Amino acid sequence: MLEIRHLDSLIALAETGNLTRAGEKVSLSQSALSHQMRGLEEQYGFELFERKTSPLRWTRAGERLLVLAYDVKRQVRDAERDLARIGQGTAGTLRIAVECHSCFDWLMPAMDLLREGWPDVEMDIVSGFHPDPVGLLDENRADLVIVSAAKRRKGIEHHPLFEYDMPALLAQDHPLLGKSYLTAKDFALETLITYPIPDNRMDLFRQVLEPAGVEPKERRTTELTVAILQLVKSKRGIAALPRWAVQPYLEKDYVAEMPITARGLRASLHAATTKEGAGQAFMREFIETVRVTAVKQFEGIRLL
């Protein structure tokens, strides 16, 4: 019979694209997950997806079961939310601080979705630059902080959200486009355009430039993503931004993209809360809503 664990496996396959990562998500080996899917196919007499495709391609039967999986899981979440309201009340406060300048594309839709289920939870954005964003939790000035690095800290819990590609952005006729990918040394000859945040909070510096001992030729900062893109297009420098933040501009060929290093630069985001805050039902639902919203809205997102 069809069970909740089967639905979890179907959703994991849809969100990861292959058996190996899906198995990790539901704590099964690749062979065990494959055996589970074969069992469903034998039960219903249809193949659920095409093997040896990347990402895997669903059949009509598989798509129908996947729709069922999302519907049932949503109803389960709704029921659990209602039970949580009965147990601990419906009101609360969710003050959110963000470390990244481009997070609002997926943060605002996630907040709107939470309001639908938790109308009595007061939500707000903690504005301004904060040298120690996680410290806002200790000072009771925020309830959740979006960070790019999950550093251990007493009394703080980190909740993995997702990882994503961070390409280099260049003008369409930039000479470096003749290469297959950029290395740290390429940045030593260029003006780097970034948001006005410390180097230790930028993945380009943490993962690529600092280990190689490289410093860009010049630096230029601006708070707006569109301003960074305009500067890149006008050949004032190059940049490195989350691909999901600039996806519409890339699709219109406004600027060009290149991988950073042969393997590409992958960055990640996490939600930080206090241990007490992590136990609140609406906090758990918001974190999961962020994950689901991001992976549905943007290409190249991989849930952590």
Side-chain angles (χ1 to χ4, degrees), residues 19-20 23 28-39 51:
L19 285 163
T20 300
L28 290 175
S29 65
Q30 178 180 345
S31 60
L33 180 58
S34 180
H35 180 74
Q36 186 187 91
M37 291 297 103
R38 287 291 186 191
R51 268 68 176 179

Side-chain angles (χ1 to χ4, degrees), residues 61-96:
E63 288 177 347
R64 181 62 187 89
L65 280 184
L66 186 59
V67 169
L68 173 66
Y70 276 111
D71 286 344
V72 171
K73 291 296 289 184
R74 183 179 63 252
Q75 291 182 46
V76 169
R77 285 197 302 269
D78 290 346
E80 290 176 338
R81 181 182 62 223
D82 291 341
L83 291 172
R85 286 172 169 174
I86 294 171
Q88 64 174 247
T90 60
T93 302
L94 181 53
R95 297 163 296 173
I96 304 167

Side-chain angles (χ1 to χ4, degrees), residues 111-285:
M111 292 175 68
D112 290 340
L113 285 173
L114 189 73
R115 286 190 182 97
E116 294 178 7
W118 298 84
D120 295 326
V121 172
E122 186 68 28
M123 285 187 284
D124 196 9
I125 300 291
V126 181
S127 61
F129 170 76
H130 307 282
D132 179 23
V134 178
L136 297 173
L137 299 172
D138 296 328
E139 299 168 7
N140 194 28
R141 295 167 55 197
D143 303 293
L144 180 143
V145 180
I146 305 295
V147 295
S148 57
K151 298 180 180 178
R152 296 184 63 180
R153 188 162 175 163
K154 185 177 180 180
I156 301 299
E157 289 193 8
H158 288 91
H159 314 271
L161 297 176
F162 54 84
E163 67 174 11
Y164 53 90
D165 290 316
M166 182 171 288
L169 304 175
L170 307 89
Q172 288 289 357
D173 57 352
H174 197 289
L176 285 174
L177 290 176
K179 302 186 63 174
S180 300
Y181 57 86
L182 298 190
T183 66
K185 290 183 179 180
D186 292 318
F187 288 88
L189 305 175
E190 299 290 333
T191 297
L192 180 63
I193 307 166
T194 69
Y195 298 116
I197 57 177
D199 294 351
N200 62 8
R201 284 163 58 181
M202 288 188 277
D203 288 281
L204 174 64
F205 281 88
R206 285 199 304 249
Q207 298 188 44
V208 180
L209 300 186
E210 289 179 357
V214 169
E215 181 69 22
K217 182 180 71 173
E218 294 183 27
R219 303 282 293 276
R220 186 165 181 172
T221 64
T222 178
E223 292 190 1
L224 300 177
T225 301
V226 66
I228 292 178
L229 293 170
Q230 288 173 344
L231 290 170
V232 168
K233 180 177 176 60
S234 61
K235 304 177 185 179
R236 307 293 179 86
I238 65 176
L241 293 175
R243 195 180 194 284
W244 49 263
V246 297
Q247 188 172 312
Y249 297 90
L250 294 174
E251 292 171 352
K252 295 176 181 178
D253 293 326
Y254 187 77
V255 294
E257 66 172 320
M258 285 189 68
I260 299 174
T261 78
R263 299 179 61 181
L265 176 58
R266 295 284 288 180
S268 60
L269 288 176
H270 306 258
T273 67
T274 62
K275 290 186 176 181
E276 180 181 1
Q280 295 176 300
F282 65 81
M283 184 74 77
R284 294 194 301 269
E285 180 164 335

Side-chain angles (χ1 to χ4, degrees), residues 6-17 22 25-26 58 65-66 68-74 77:
H6 298 135
L7 304 183
D8 289 332
S9 295
L10 290 168
I11 291 172
L13 278 168
E15 293 182 347
T16 62
K25 190 174 179 64
V26 295
W58 295 90
L65 280 184
L66 186 59
L68 173 66
Y70 276 111
D71 286 344
V72 171
K73 291 296 289 184
R74 183 179 63 252
R77 285 197 302 269

